[in-house]
């Protein structure tokens, strides 16, 4: 905020009628007089500073959006065509959504039923899940179990386990995971064997590296088309984003 205020003050100063010379050409007395004039002007016209802050915020938002869009373009292959990720929804959907998630993340849990409703209700969305465990050992164990399920038993089993992990409120332990698999009618022994597959850790490392390149630091994080959105997004907002993507494509 201090840096924003400083930048806004500088921008505001540039609008002053008295700003007609280079500050570097002033002597000490002239610089002091100029500072006092600037201070007096801003105190008398505080709306100038607020207007400058608004302009700076808008410029920063545009620059951030452009940087994020560039990051999506530069990592397009890793985002949309990685062999490590589960792909669900309509595999031929006209809109692609990528979600970076952590099963221990409260906002991921909040988003989960809404993402499901979006994909199922729309019927023309392809959803790519990026396992991104960042909240400790239990998160890593949960992701390893989910990835191992996909390796051992396929995509449908993965979806069951992923949904179960999102709804799990107990600590994530091997016993709890075994019970989850049993409750879902899955072969827990096969899953635990697959957890030793090097592909499990490779998948997690790959997503860590991708997130780092894209500046993703939290979950959930989404990529809607070429737009990166970090944080929880309510269902109506996701629906609006999908509509905009389709309108833009026409």
């Amino acid at each position: 905020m201090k840096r924003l205020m400083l930048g806004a003050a500088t921008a505001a100063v540039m609008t002053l009628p008295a700003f007609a010379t280079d500050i570097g050409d002033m002597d000490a007395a002239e610089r002091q007089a100029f500072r006092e004039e600037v201070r007096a002007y801003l105190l008398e016209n505080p709306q100038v500073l607020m207007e400058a802050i608004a302009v700076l915020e808008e410029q920063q938002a545009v620059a951030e959006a452009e940087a994020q869009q560039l990051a999506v373009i530069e990592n397009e292959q890793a985002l949309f065509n990685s062999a490590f990720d589960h792909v669900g929804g309509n595999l031929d959907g006209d809109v692609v959504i990528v979600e970076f998630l952590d099963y221990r993340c409260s906002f991921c849990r909040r988003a989960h039923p809404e993402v499901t409703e979006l994909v199922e209700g729309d019927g023309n969305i392809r959803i790519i899940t990026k396992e991104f465990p960042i909240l400790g050992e239990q998160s890593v164990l949960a992701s390893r179990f989910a990835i191992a399920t996909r390796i051992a038993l396929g995509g449908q089993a993965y979806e069951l386990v992923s949904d179960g992990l999102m709804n799990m409120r107990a600590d994530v332990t091997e016993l709890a995971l075994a019970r989850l698999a049993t409750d879902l009618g899955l072969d827990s022994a096969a899953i635990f064997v697959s957890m030793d597959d090097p592909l499990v850790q490779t998948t997690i490392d790959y997503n860590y590296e991708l997130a780092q390149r894209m500046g993703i630091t939290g979950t959930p994080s989404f990529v809607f088309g070429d737009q990166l959105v970090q944080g929880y997004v309510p269902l109506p907002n996701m629906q609006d984003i999908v509509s905009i993507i389709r309108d833009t494509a026409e």
Side-chain angles (χ1 to χ4, degrees), residues 22-37:
D22 187 340
I23 296 179
D25 294 334
M26 297 179 180
D27 59 28
E30 289 172 334
R31 281 196 295 273
Q32 182 60 34
F34 177 73
R35 293 189 186 106
E36 292 174 358
E37 181 178 351

Side-chain angles (χ1 to χ4, degrees), residues 8-211:
T10 302
V13 166
M14 297 297 292
T15 68
L16 292 177
F19 194 84
T21 186
D22 187 340
I23 296 179
D25 294 334
M26 297 179 180
D27 59 28
E30 289 172 334
R31 281 196 295 273
Q32 182 60 34
F34 177 73
R35 293 189 186 106
E36 292 174 358
E37 181 178 351
V38 169
R39 183 176 185 277
Y41 178 84
L42 292 177
L43 289 174
E44 292 172 6
N45 301 276
Q47 73 278 2
V48 173
L49 187 57
M50 299 309 297
E51 291 169 3
I53 289 175
V55 171
L56 281 176
E57 288 178 337
E58 182 177 354
Q59 291 174 344
Q60 289 174 350
V62 170
E64 182 178 358
E66 290 176 347
Q68 291 176 342
Q69 188 175 45
L70 180 60
V72 171
I73 294 172
E74 290 178 341
N75 293 281
E76 185 174 10
Q77 185 67 25
L79 282 167
F80 305 119
N81 298 301
S82 169
F84 299 125
D85 306 315
H86 174 70
V87 182
N90 185 341
L91 302 187
D92 298 317
D94 64 340
V95 172
V96 182
I97 298 174
V98 180
E99 181 182 9
F100 290 75
L101 57 79
D102 182 313
Y103 295 112
R104 304 294 288 174
C105 164
S106 61
F107 283 102
C108 292
R109 292 172 174 174
R110 182 178 177 185
H112 179 64
E114 297 184 65
V115 172
T116 300
E117 183 176 347
L118 173 70
V119 174
E120 293 181 352
D122 184 282
N124 202 23
I125 293 175
R126 178 161 60 104
I127 178 79
I128 300 172
T129 304
K130 296 279 187 185
E131 296 283 343
F132 187 47
I134 57 174
L135 297 178
E137 293 181 1
Q138 291 190 39
S139 293
V140 173
L141 180 59
S143 278
R144 289 178 61 83
F145 190 78
I147 297 166
T149 300
R150 177 172 178 259
I151 294 172
L153 304 176
Q156 290 186 340
Y158 171 87
E159 290 183 358
L160 289 173
V161 166
S162 183
D163 182 70
L165 289 169
M166 278 298 180
N167 290 292
M168 181 184 288
R169 295 299 177 262
D171 287 343
V172 179
T173 64
E174 290 190 358
L175 179 59
L177 293 173
R179 287 174 177 169
L180 173 64
T182 299
D183 290 343
L184 294 173
L186 302 176
D187 185 348
S188 61
I191 298 173
F192 279 111
V193 168
S194 290
M195 288 179 72
D196 293 327
D197 190 321
L199 182 58
V200 173
Q201 190 60 47
T202 298
T203 299
I204 294 174
D205 291 343
Y206 189 85
N207 289 337
Y208 282 159
E209 293 168 4
L210 173 60

